[in-house]
Every structure is written in C-alpha cells, then in structure tokens.
Amino acid sequence: MPLWNIYHTNNVFQSQDEKDACAKDITDFYSGPGGMPSFYVVVNFISMPPGSMYRGYKRVSDLDTPFVRLAITHIHIHAKDLPMAIAEAYKRTAKGIDKAIKRSIIDKGYLFEYGVSEEPRELWKVDGFVPPPWKSEAEKLWIKEGKAVPYDAKAKL
C-alpha cells in the first residue's frame, strides 16, 4: 500500500479535476502492468491554512511560489523486494515518483519536497484481509476483482 499524504498551501489543488489527475498519475505509477492492485493506492490532499505550515522559519503561505510536501509510505513493496541492488531500487522509485508528480507539481513550478518511508508489511490489512504476496495468483485475483476477496493463504501462491 502506498499512502500519499500531500500537504499543500491552499492555492494548490483547488479543483477536483486537479486532484483527480494527480491521484490518477500516482495510481498509474504503482498499478501499471505487473503492478499492484489500484485500490492499494491511497492519496490524501491536505490543504494547510495560511500560517500553519513552515519551511524552516518561513511560513510557506508567505512564499511567492506554492509549496507542496509529500509524505509517502510504502507497505506492500519495499526496495529490497525489487530485482535489483537497493541503490538502484531507490533511484528507480524516486524517478517514478518524479514522473507521477510531473504534471501536477513539477511542471507548474511549485516548490516541493517528498520523503518515503517503508513500513512493515506484517502490520497491514486491507478490508480485514492480510494482502496476498506481491505478484502471487491471489494478488492477480485481487487485481481482476478490483477489491480484496478471500483467498487460501496456505495454497501455493
């Protein structure tokens, strides 16, 4: 599960269309061919009232350029799970995140910062189910169904 909390000044993501487009780009990064179920991706847009968000000692609401802070949590897939060296996995992840935010943040010239944390998969459930292993037959079923469904955790996955 990638969880994206997008903290932004109130002059960013003002329309539903902007939010929808950003959420789609983020979801597409994770759920493309060979990816995870799209319903794993959660994106929260959190508008910060003027004077409540700081970058250093400066209120970001006083900056000339809008500011966006993305706090991203990965639970489903970690860098160590990818078929490459850890350093390459991190570069690939950062490149994918940059691509996901290009249209909604980078191309608009906003100031931004993001950080990614990786949380233990063992403390994660979706709709009451322990998610199946990545790329397993059970996960393919979840992708096909578009939701969490019962599966035999003891079967060969």
Side-chain angles (χ1 to χ4, degrees), residues 128-145:
F129 297 102
V130 173
W134 182 36
K135 295 189 176 189
S136 66
E137 291 304 314
E139 185 180 68
K140 290 175 187 170
L141 175 64
W142 281 30
I143 291 169
K144 178 183 172 200
E145 295 293 326

Side-chain angles (χ1 to χ4, degrees), residues 53-131:
M53 187 177 186
Y54 287 75
R55 191 175 192 197
Y57 59 86
K58 295 182 179 180
R59 290 187 299 266
V60 296
S61 55
D62 292 345
L63 299 174
D64 292 333
T65 305
F67 177 70
V68 180
R69 172 62 168 99
L70 303 103
I72 305 165
T73 305
H74 286 169
I75 298 176
H76 180 46
I77 304 168
H78 299 144
K80 68 177 179 51
D81 300 326
L82 299 174
M84 61 195 70
I86 294 288
E88 185 58 33
Y90 287 142
K91 285 180 189 175
R92 178 178 157 187
T93 299
K95 185 176 180 179
I97 291 168
D98 290 344
K99 182 178 177 187
I101 65 172
K102 184 177 184 330
R103 185 167 55 138
S104 297
I105 297 170
I106 296 172
D107 287 352
K108 293 182 178 183
Y110 299 157
L111 301 173
F112 69 94
E113 174 183 328
Y114 63 77
V116 180
S117 62
E118 294 181 335
E119 301 289 332
R121 195 175 202 282
E122 296 78 11
L123 298 173
W124 174 45
K125 284 191 170 185
V126 175
D127 298 332
F129 297 102
V130 173

Side-chain angles (χ1 to χ4, degrees), residues 8-43:
H8 58 88
T9 50
N10 60 4
N11 57 345
V12 178
F13 298 115
Q14 293 180 315
S15 76
Q16 193 61 56
D17 288 344
E18 288 175 296
K19 292 175 187 175
D20 291 349
C22 184
K24 181 185 183 320
D25 290 344
I26 292 166
T27 301
D28 287 351
F29 165 54
Y30 294 102
S31 65
M36 64 182 71
S38 62
F39 64 88
Y40 282 6
V41 183
V42 176
V43 180

